[in-house]
Amino acid sequence: DCGAGGGGEGEGGGGLWALEAFVQPLLKRFRYHFEGRRETNRRDKPEWVFAHCVAQMRSHAPLLSGEVQPMLRAPLAPLRAAASQPSSQGAVRERYLRFLSAHCPDGVEGHVTAALCGAMRAKLRREMPSRLAEPPSFCHAFSEAIACERELRHSLRLPPSASVVRAFTDDDDAMQLWLKTEREDASARLAAVLAAPAAWDAPAVPGGVDEAGGADLSSAGSSPLRAPACASGAMRLSLDLLERVRLVSDPAAQGRAIDEVLLPTLGEFSAILRAKAAQAMIGAADWESVGALLATLLFAAPLLEEWQEEPPLASLDAPRAVFGAVLRGWREMREELEEHASSTLAADFFHGAGRYVGERRDFRLAAEGEAAGGEGEPLGDLSPALCEPLSLLRSQLAALRAQLPAASLRRAWRSLAEALDTWVYESVVRRSAFSAAGAQRFRRDAQALVDSFSGVSASAHTAMRRLHEVAIVFGLPPPARAELLQLASAGAAALSRRRDELGVHALDGESLSELLASLVVDS
């Protein structure tokens, strides 16, 4: 039999009467120390209450789980034996298990722990009015309650029903003050992280490891990424906030904490990143700052994506991902910075190669043994007007390689290579006529341009397909070019096979016809 006592929170009762033999002595000792005039009952020492209760739970855990819990299941065998008919044994077993589930849902240890947590909550609620009038006292008590909650969840592995923080989240005034102070504290901590002397320096923290705390922010399968101190510091702060949200068992309170603390803190961080990005994209190229910002975004975004797929964020009733807006803003910022890198280098090359485009008629006038620009230049040299812009391009690519994260560098160089491929093809190839020497001169120019990217990629030709294929065509002997022109003009199926043999795919039949017709030596 059981007696469901009607005691209030912190008074025991409400479960199996046999377990009250364990609960009542613990509550009596609690009241002796923390509800009278004893020296242990100090409002400025809430940690004493929590430490006492956690110690009691820890010391009684082996007895409760190892001996008392099996005793609750011991009647199952006699009940089955006492059943009048074998067919009814299963029903008797189910009724008894439902009885245990109703009166002791979290097991013996959970039942006793819930009683102690109820006593702590009752004490906190009695003291709440005076603590609300003194914010420092309130913050102290809440911080200690969170530490106790962490101990209950992580060390003792107790269920959310054994909660202390509910004393704060169930009280509207306490909840409001907690969110207000939490947001102010998060803003101050973020400002301190970002104001540190080396916060925005070149990446220095490998693998997502927070240098101060030594905790790995990223998942075990993440690839190593070096990030500035501001990135690891801001994400460590976000993770701390998220951990506090996880310790709050009430979904409504979790939602408010996310909306009023975590997301505004990330929004503040995003605004600072946006201002830094705008500054880095003004004036002279500051690749160190651009690289630090890109490393920050590439380090932080995967963490948010990972966190929002885990409890409690994944279980919140939201129409979209919790960090969706933040991640979209970061993605746009990353794309702008990468586009800035590629467009800056492209604009510098276009400006520097203006004379090269203006002298494109030299490709028609070049003759064997004669320089493209006259003066007996050796046949193996590049066009003189291309040397300076190529040198600048190579030095700028080296600077990008030294500062940008690998993923951003890969996207930036490819975008740049595609832009140069289009510009040179449209400005020079399609608007020029070529002698035999001129075709070979341009072939070397095109290869030199492709080779300029060798420091960042071994496959730059895949992003500069048209120039690479023009060089292939210009390298064919005259009879092979004549055959290709005939196939291109006829549009025969044989053209497709010939293009496959040559590795020419970006230039279609019309483009091939136009290119081959520009060779005056073959006309």
Side-chain angles (χ1 to χ4, degrees):
D1 230 350
C2 81
E9 186 170 58
E11 300 179 7
L16 297 177
W17 64 263
L19 296 183
E20 294 305 301
F22 296 97
V23 171
Q24 291 305 326
L26 294 175
L27 294 181
K28 184 176 181 179
R29 188 173 183 181
F30 179 92
R31 289 190 290 268
Y32 175 84
H33 285 295
F34 304 113
E35 292 185 5
R37 295 181 177 275
R38 302 283 175 181
E39 293 182 358
T40 51
N41 187 23
R42 291 179 52 175
R43 203 165 61 85
D44 63 332
K45 295 290 185 180
E47 60 269 28
W48 288 1
V49 179
F50 303 131
H52 167 83
C53 291
V54 169
Q56 293 295 311
M57 296 172 194
R58 196 183 298 277
S59 64
H60 285 79
L63 172 67
L64 295 174
S65 59
E67 297 187 30
V68 180
Q69 184 68 38
M71 291 170 59
L72 290 183
R73 301 182 66 88
L76 283 174
L79 284 173
R80 284 198 299 267
S84 58
Q85 298 179 359
S87 60
S88 63
Q89 291 180 355
V92 170
R93 179 181 182 277
E94 289 301 318
R95 283 199 300 271
Y96 182 72
L97 291 178
R98 284 198 301 270
F99 165 77
L100 290 182
S101 178
H103 295 285
C104 193
D106 295 319
V108 174
E109 187 178 357
H111 178 85
V112 175
T113 300
L116 278 174
C117 288
M120 288 189 282
R121 288 196 303 270
K123 178 176 174 60
L124 288 170
R125 284 168 178 155
R126 287 194 300 271
E127 297 173 349
M128 196 66 71
S130 59
R131 292 195 186 278
L132 288 172
E134 301 175 15
S137 173
F138 174 89
C139 294
H140 181 198
F142 184 81
S143 296
E144 295 298 334
I146 280 288
C148 177
E149 197 84 17
R150 185 177 295 110
E151 187 81 4
L152 297 177
R153 297 287 169 277
H154 298 165
S155 297
L156 299 178
R157 301 185 181 278
L158 294 171
S161 59
S163 173
V164 177
V165 177
R166 273 175 44 202
F168 296 87
T169 59
D170 290 348
D171 185 301
D172 290 341
D173 293 335
M175 183 72 179
Q176 190 62 41
L177 181 57
W178 168 48
L179 295 176
K180 177 177 178 294
T181 55
E182 193 87 340
R183 176 69 185 98
E184 292 172 352
D185 178 67
S187 183
R189 288 177 61 189
L190 180 64
V193 166
L194 302 185
W200 299 94
D201 285 356
V205 182
V209 175
D210 179 11
E211 214 168 38
D216 193 352
L217 296 173
S218 59
S219 63
S222 299
S223 58
L225 176 66
R226 299 174 66 83
C230 65
S232 60
M235 298 314 290
R236 164 56 59 195
L237 169 60
S238 300
L239 183 59
D240 287 346
L241 295 174
L242 183 55
E243 287 295 338
R244 290 163 84 90
V245 171
R246 286 172 175 156
L247 292 172
V248 175
S249 56
D250 178 35
Q254 288 178 337
R256 286 191 63 185
I258 291 169
D259 291 339
E260 299 181 36
V261 180
L262 183 54
L263 289 178
T265 302
L266 286 170
E268 184 179 352
F269 182 47
S270 298
I272 294 171
L273 289 177
R274 171 61 67 183
K276 290 279 186 181
Q279 183 179 359
M281 291 188 288
I282 294 176
D286 183 3
W287 301 128
E288 184 176 358
S289 296
V290 170
L293 287 165
L294 285 170
T296 297
L297 295 169
L298 290 172
F299 171 80
L303 294 176
L304 291 191
E305 291 173 351
E306 180 180 323
W307 295 343
Q308 72 181 1
E309 297 300 326
E310 299 174 350
L313 303 185
S315 59
L316 291 178
D317 185 16
R320 58 185 180 277
V322 173
F323 299 130
V326 176
L327 289 169
R328 282 194 297 275
W330 288 1
R331 183 172 59 253
E332 292 170 2
M333 200 185 315
R334 173 185 61 76
E335 291 172 351
E336 288 177 19
L337 289 166
E338 292 169 353
E339 173 60 25
H340 168 70
S342 62
S343 62
T344 297
L345 269 62
D348 289 347
F349 182 84
F350 297 160
H351 177 75
R355 187 165 69 93
Y356 176 70
V357 174
E359 295 176 358
R360 63 185 180 276
R361 67 180 181 278
D362 290 345
F363 290 116
R364 178 187 180 94
L365 302 176
E368 293 293 340
E370 181 181 287
E375 303 297 325
E377 178 183 306
L379 185 62
D381 285 354
L382 304 177
S383 297
L386 187 61
C387 294
E388 185 175 342
L390 273 183
S391 177
L392 176 62
L393 176 64
R394 288 167 180 161
S395 65
Q396 288 178 320
L397 284 170
L400 288 189
R401 183 184 182 186
Q403 299 296 340
L404 267 59
S408 291
L409 177 63
R410 183 167 56 251
R411 286 185 286 264
W413 80 253
R414 180 166 286 277
S415 175
L416 171 63
E418 291 171 352
L420 299 190
D421 181 68
T422 298
W423 187 78
V424 174
Y425 181 78
E426 296 293 336
S427 302
V428 178
V429 176
R430 296 195 66 191
R431 299 173 62 189
S432 303
F434 300 87
S435 66
Q440 297 310 306
R441 171 67 55 79
F442 182 81
R443 183 186 176 197
R444 291 190 295 274
D445 290 349
Q447 190 58 51
L449 185 56
V450 173
D451 290 344
S452 298
F453 290 83
S454 60
V456 294
S457 174
S459 57
H461 64 280
T462 61
M464 307 183 80
R465 291 301 310 177
R466 285 183 290 188
L467 294 186
H468 177 66
E469 292 178 9
V470 168
I472 292 175
V473 173
F474 281 0
L476 295 174
R481 291 199 297 262
E483 176 194 6
L484 188 61
L485 177 60
Q486 183 179 4
L487 292 173
S489 302
L495 174 61
S496 177
R497 291 193 297 272
R498 185 60 176 144
R499 289 171 63 197
D500 289 340
E501 293 171 1
L502 295 173
V504 174
H505 304 286
L507 299 177
D508 58 17
E510 183 178 350
S511 299
L512 282 172
S513 297
E514 181 182 276
L515 176 64
L516 292 167
S518 70
L519 287 163
V520 294
V521 68
D522 294 339
S523 300

